[in-house]
Amino acid sequence: MKVFHAQSQLSQYLQPLKQALQTIGFVPTMGALHNGHLSLLQQALSENDVAVVSIFVNPTQFNNAEDLAKYPRTLDRDVALLETLSDKIIVYAPSVDDIYEGNTVAKSFDYDGLDNEMEGSNRPGHFNGVGTIVKKLFEIVQPNNAYFGEKDFQQLQIIRKMVEKNKMNINVIGCPIFREANGLAMSSRNERLSAQAKEKAAVIYKTLHTAKSLFIEKDIVQAEQFVKETFANEADFDLEYFVIADEVSLKTATQKTAHTKYRAFIVVHVEGIRLIDNIALN
Ligand code: PAF
């Protein structure tokens, strides 16, 4: 398995592959890899000649210093896990300096307002950090296809917008959420949960499921009320937000309109850890 820490070396390695018109599939990650990441890589391997994964905890997308400090960093384990999938995967695990060259700040992006909703309003500056790192990584790797999980659905739509606005010739591919047996969406943050909290966190997906039925059979207000009441009765869980929104504009919806695709988005806190999930409603 090839592991590069310097962008110059990665570029040098990829250059002849590009000249030979080999297609590159790219999976950007922050490491602490789990089966959800592996499924993205499997898709990248099956749809491209070469698969590249980046492992980089990006400081400019964290608006909470403690969250950044506590984010799991497990490079050796990640590389060993990738090896179980294929020894052909190319790993790019840069240092902060290799990426930011002494200027660790986020650039400002215009996402046509997609960043004013949900994660954008609750985590100021987050999507400028995401745009900054993803654009840099795209410029370094120059992939044909890039794969992102739908767990961070707003991020996926924002990256699509960034690619469109910057006229980057990259297909951004959204991949279904990978879940634990109890329905908990796989996330690197789950590693910080106690076994008991992990088990109890099944309530998140279960609640989304019932909210979906209420949305279909009744209306948005009833779905919202159900979610609020459920978490009001869950002593260990704090509901940060539950929003039903138009899947394309990400604008909060208060009533159903024909020919619009909706999604329900949720963030809850348990044991001080922020968990995010979403579900397609129609
Ligand atoms: O989804 C993530 O893990 C990160 O936001 C990403 C896309 C790798 C950028 O740091």
Side-chain angles (χ1 to χ4, degrees):
M1 164 116 20
K2 291 253 177 287
V3 181
F4 295 97
H5 298 287
Q7 57 173 283
S8 54
Q9 282 166 4
L10 175 71
S11 303
Q12 216 170 28
Y13 181 82
L14 292 178
Q15 197 57 34
L17 301 179
K18 275 186 202 128
Q19 269 162 2
L21 300 180
Q22 300 231 329
T23 56
I24 297 178
F26 179 42
V27 181
T29 80
M30 298 206 296
L33 301 182
H34 50 68
N35 286 340
H37 293 117
L38 294 192
S39 75
L40 299 182
L41 271 152
Q42 215 138 26
Q43 194 169 338
L45 281 164
S46 72
E47 294 178 354
N48 301 274
D49 297 313
V50 176
V52 179
V53 56
S54 62
I55 295 178
F56 178 65
V57 182
N58 173 38
T60 66
Q61 71 186 74
F62 286 81
N63 54 332
N64 177 325
E66 193 188 341
D67 196 21
L68 171 62
K70 286 195 175 160
Y71 203 87
R73 291 159 170 88
T74 56
L75 182 60
D76 292 346
R77 205 183 75 189
D78 290 346
V79 171
L81 194 63
L82 290 168
E83 250 155 10
T84 65
L85 198 62
S86 161
D87 57 6
K88 291 205 190 87
I89 296 168
I90 298 159
V91 182
Y92 175 44
S95 64
V96 172
D97 259 4
D98 188 60
I99 289 286
Y100 284 102
E101 294 163 338
N103 189 25
T104 314
V105 289
K107 296 216 164 83
S108 195
F109 288 83
D110 174 8
Y111 300 116
D112 289 346
L114 288 178
D115 54 329
N116 295 334
E117 313 299 325
M118 301 179 285
E119 292 301 278
S121 51
N122 287 38
R123 302 181 68 189
H126 170 66
F127 285 123
N128 278 334
V130 170
T132 303
I133 185 61
V134 173
K135 185 161 178 282
K136 272 180 198 278
L137 290 169
F138 280 179
E139 284 160 359
I140 295 166
V141 177
Q142 296 175 28
N144 303 79
N145 300 302
Y147 299 82
F148 295 86
E150 286 185 345
K151 181 173 74 67
D152 297 296
F153 192 83
Q154 187 175 9
Q155 167 174 280
L156 170 66
Q157 299 297 59
I158 276 183
I159 289 165
R160 287 194 164 121
K161 181 65 76 182
M162 188 273 286
V163 163
E164 178 197 314
K165 290 224 167 201
N166 287 282
K167 299 189 173 56
M168 295 178 119
N169 191 16
I170 297 168
N171 296 318
V172 175
I173 298 166
C175 307
I177 299 174
F178 228 72
R179 298 184 180 279
E180 304 284 355
N182 72 356
L184 174 63
M186 284 196 189
S187 162
S188 306
R189 287 193 164 87
N190 295 354
E191 284 197 14
R192 292 170 51 208
L193 293 175
S194 68
Q196 201 194 13
K198 234 184 220 172
E199 205 182 299
K200 280 190 162 180
V203 67
I204 302 169
Y205 186 53
K206 211 168 138 231
T207 306
L208 282 181
H209 231 270
T210 309
K212 177 174 179 163
S213 306
L214 287 167
F215 170 88
I216 293 168
E217 287 154 23
K218 297 188 173 156
D219 56 26
I220 290 179
V221 175
Q222 304 241 16
E224 282 173 350
Q225 238 159 26
F226 168 74
V227 175
K228 276 186 196 143
E229 276 162 22
T230 302
F231 284 99
N233 292 321
E234 287 285 343
D236 300 333
F237 292 79
D238 279 330
L239 178 65
E240 182 178 318
Y241 67 73
F242 173 78
V243 167
I244 290 179
D246 177 322
E247 192 172 285
V248 179
S249 71
L250 300 180
K251 291 246 177 288
T252 302
T254 47
Q255 55 189 35
K256 296 189 260 185
T257 318
H259 313 300
T260 305
K261 283 204 140 203
Y262 295 99
R263 230 168 229 268
F265 298 85
I266 193 165
V267 171
V268 298
H269 295 249
V270 55
E271 295 182 335
I273 294 150
R274 192 172 187 272
L275 300 177
I276 184 167
D277 204 348
N278 69 80
I279 192 169
L281 297 177
N282 58 340

